[in-house]
Amino acid sequence: MYIPFDELPPQARIWIYQANRPLTAAEQTEIKPLLERFATEWSSHGKGLQASAALLHNQFLVLANNEDATAASGCSIDASVRFVRELEQQFNIAFFDRTQLAFLRDGEVQLVSMNQLKDSIAAGDITKDTLYFDTLVNTYGDLQSDWPRQAQQSWLNRYF
């Protein structure tokens, strides 16, 4: 069962997929109905999930499920991964590249490769206060209240 994204309860579980490039307006227009259809049909052991999906900051695909109603099973999570992989192929985009970190700088999402992270910090391009899109956030409430978050409030803290 589809739930509008902004009506999810704070404890709803989320999965964040970061794109390797910004999605164009045309791509977003095409993807949004696919997301809604997937969320509507998403199920666990034959039982429909109270699910939603959204595109945020032109760069992130977020799937969500109200686990209080029905928990996502391994099979349903596998189905969501297959769906995201299909989007990758259809739109020639990568959502599973974990070598890029996303920061909010001057109102724009900026990607920094893991290989360049230490140099970017040493150069002062990334500071402990730089806003970081932590894809490890796993509840809707945390997404709403603390995303993006200061780099020092994430696993990146060890670099400062």
Side-chain angles (χ1 to χ4, degrees):
M1 175 177 96
Y2 176 78
I3 299 173
F5 196 74
D6 60 354
E7 294 178 18
L8 286 163
Q11 70 278 8
R13 184 174 176 193
I14 62 168
W15 294 265
I16 301 172
Y17 298 92
Q18 176 182 301
N20 64 332
R21 61 171 175 78
L23 296 162
T24 67
E27 288 172 329
Q28 291 183 58
T29 299
E30 281 187 69
I31 291 171
K32 285 178 182 178
L34 300 174
L35 293 177
E36 187 170 335
R37 186 177 76 220
F38 174 78
T40 300
E41 297 171 356
W42 198 14
S43 65
S44 176
H45 299 293
K47 187 173 183 182
L49 300 177
Q50 289 186 4
S52 193
L55 297 173
L56 303 177
H57 299 279
N58 303 322
Q59 196 99 25
F60 304 93
L61 184 158
V62 182
L63 299 178
N65 177 48
N66 178 6
E67 299 257 310
D68 286 350
T70 305
S73 66
C75 292
S76 61
I77 293 169
D78 289 349
S80 70
V81 170
R82 278 192 304 277
F83 169 71
V84 175
R85 293 247 185 243
E86 289 169 6
L87 291 177
E88 282 186 319
Q89 290 181 345
Q90 185 174 348
F91 294 94
N92 194 29
I93 195 161
F95 284 109
F96 292 94
D97 179 0
R98 301 291 184 227
T99 64
Q100 301 286 318
L101 304 173
F103 296 89
L104 184 63
R105 302 204 42 209
D106 300 322
E108 298 288 324
V109 176
Q110 177 186 13
L111 298 179
V112 175
S113 76
M114 286 289 292
N115 294 337
Q116 296 174 337
L117 180 63
K118 287 182 182 178
D119 291 340
S120 294
I121 291 170
D125 295 332
I126 297 171
T127 69
K128 64 182 182 172
D129 297 320
T130 302
L131 294 177
Y132 169 60
F133 290 99
D134 188 352
T135 58
L136 300 178
V137 169
N138 62 12
T139 68
Y140 178 74
D142 287 344
L143 182 79
Q144 294 301 304
S145 67
D146 198 25
W147 198 76
R149 62 175 55 156
Q150 290 180 334
Q152 68 181 340
Q153 295 174 337
S154 74
W155 66 270
L156 293 171
N157 186 43
R158 64 183 170 190
Y159 292 102
F160 302 105

